[in-house]
Amino acid sequence: MPHLPFAPKEFKVKGVTFLEEPGLIEPAESDQSQTPAILPIQFLQELEVNDGWLFRAVGALSALRLGLIDLSGRTIYDSGFVNGESLSWARVNRWNKRIARGVYLYRLTARDREGKEIQSEVKKLVIRR
């Protein structure tokens, strides 16, 4: 048998998602439990769709909330909590009027199944027409 620079080990793939990197690889003997792991909540990239935006998160969450402010810090829109892992926004303010093009800031808040709230970082959103 040829000399190998490392000791051969059996490996298994853990935590593979199609949304992120291929997953973590760890030695097979490190986790012997039979209980499935609960994925932490992950906020995904927003998507521009037809006449609005789609915001998504994955993991053990029950509801999602979008908060949008302008660059002066005024609240433009707050969706309230929406059940599920995604919510859509039709480029309207809290009075249901279309917002002007420009740069806005948003933050998503996810509520997990136990009621704990987790916030995303503040992100920039550019509205063009």
Side-chain angles (χ1 to χ4, degrees):
M1 179 173 197
H3 175 67
L4 299 174
F6 56 89
K9 284 188 173 183
E10 181 181 333
F11 287 88
K12 69 177 182 177
V13 177
K14 179 179 179 184
V16 177
T17 68
F18 66 93
L19 304 167
E20 294 292 336
E21 297 177 357
L24 301 174
I25 298 178
E26 62 180 37
E29 66 272 2
S30 69
D31 184 16
Q32 298 299 323
S33 72
Q34 298 298 321
T35 58
I38 296 176
L39 294 176
I41 294 173
Q42 297 177 0
F43 297 98
L44 306 178
Q45 180 71 33
E46 72 281 351
L47 297 172
E48 189 170 10
V49 294
N50 296 335
D51 197 29
W53 291 84
L54 179 65
F55 300 89
R56 300 174 300 152
V58 294
L61 69 135
S62 62
L64 196 58
R65 179 181 197 167
L66 169 66
L68 185 79
I69 61 171
D70 64 15
L71 293 180
S72 69
R74 289 182 302 170
T75 299
I76 300 299
Y77 181 78
D78 185 346
S79 69
F81 279 101
V82 175
N83 290 337
E85 296 182 340
S86 67
L87 65 87
S88 59
W89 173 62
R91 295 185 192 139
V92 295
N93 62 19
R94 57 185 166 181
W95 299 283
N96 210 24
K97 304 282 185 193
R98 288 189 61 92
I99 64 167
R101 65 182 171 189
V103 178
Y104 298 87
L105 301 174
Y106 77 90
R107 173 175 278 166
L108 293 173
T109 304
R111 182 179 290 153
D112 69 14
R113 295 177 186 147
E114 285 82 40
K116 181 180 172 188
E117 294 180 7
I118 300 152
Q119 292 187 333
S120 72
E121 61 187 34
V122 175
K123 295 185 179 182
K124 179 172 56 172
L125 187 69
V126 179
I127 304 296
R128 299 179 215 128
R129 293 194 212 254

